[in-house]
Amino acid sequence: MTNTEGLRVAILMGSASDWDVMQHSAKTLSEFGVSNEARVLSAHRVPEAVAEYVKTAPQRGTKVFIAAAGMAAHLAGAVAANTVLPVIGVPLASGALNGVDALYSTVMMPPGIPVGTVAVGKPGAINAALLAISILGTSDPALLQKLTDYRRDNAAKILATELPAPV
Ligand code: RP5
């Protein structure tokens, strides 16, 4: 958590083994000054704790959930089942199917219970944070301006790229 405005974004993941990737969500949110909390809460191993955490999170200031898991990745869906707040799912590559399993498990939600799903792995972890910032930015012009600045800086870096001489 980076300030005292409440925990605006909750980052949940199925296992501590997911943190290596999901720390990039926390890092990105913190760089934008968005308060966040990361917790390990598995849809399969501690389902009651997931429901309890999600149902009480608004009292702590949470406006957006990021939920990440690998293999049969049902965490984002389980979070969405317990809230009408936005839920962003990050499929993770772990196990024999290398993230395809988690992608399908996260993205193929039935109508009525949406999960906004981003890319597998680190790109998804970063984009989940940026998408959460966009959502928060709809009611926070200063935050939206930071996102505009971030895009402008990235564009400037790309335009300034110089390739090495061919070998
Ligand atoms: C999922 O199973 C977790 O999200 C993790 O990606 C994967 C493996 O979990 P561990 O065996 O490392 O705890 O539930």
Side-chain angles (χ1 to χ4, degrees), residues 13-18 42-45 68-73 75 92-95:
M13 65 207 81
S15 170
S17 65
D18 300 328
S42 164
H44 304 128
R45 293 160 172 162
M71 303 183 79
L75 181 59
L92 297 177
S94 83

Side-chain angles (χ1 to χ4, degrees), residues 9-21:
V9 179
I11 305 167
L12 307 181
M13 65 207 81
S15 170
S17 65
D18 300 328
W19 178 238
D20 188 42
V21 171

Side-chain angles (χ1 to χ4, degrees), residues 102-154:
L103 173 61
Y104 286 176
S105 302
T106 304
V107 78
M108 289 303 292
M109 288 296 291
I113 310 292
V115 167
T117 304
V118 293
V120 175
K122 180 179 171 183
I126 293 168
N127 276 348
L130 294 173
L131 187 51
I133 290 163
S134 285
I135 293 166
L136 295 169
T138 59
S139 58
D140 183 340
L143 189 55
L144 214 52
Q145 184 58 50
K146 284 188 194 173
L147 206 47
T148 303
D149 295 346
Y150 170 88
R151 291 267 185 109
R152 186 203 54 219
D153 292 349
N154 277 351

Side-chain angles (χ1 to χ4, degrees), residues 29-121:
L29 289 164
S30 295
E31 282 169 0
F32 278 81
V34 173
S35 55
N36 60 89
E37 174 181 65
R39 292 281 303 271
V40 175
L41 280 173
S42 164
H44 304 128
R45 293 160 172 162
V46 288
E48 293 90 356
V50 171
E52 169 71 12
Y53 180 91
V54 173
K55 286 176 181 170
T56 56
Q59 299 162 19
R60 299 185 290 277
T62 297
K63 301 282 190 286
V64 182
F65 292 91
I66 294 173
M71 303 183 79
H74 296 132
L75 181 59
V79 171
N82 284 290
T83 185
V84 293
L85 294 176
V87 178
I88 303 167
V90 186
L92 297 177
S94 83
L97 300 186
N98 209 26
V100 174
D101 43 1
L103 173 61
Y104 286 176
S105 302
T106 304
V107 78
M108 289 303 292
M109 288 296 291
I113 310 292
V115 167
T117 304
V118 293
V120 175

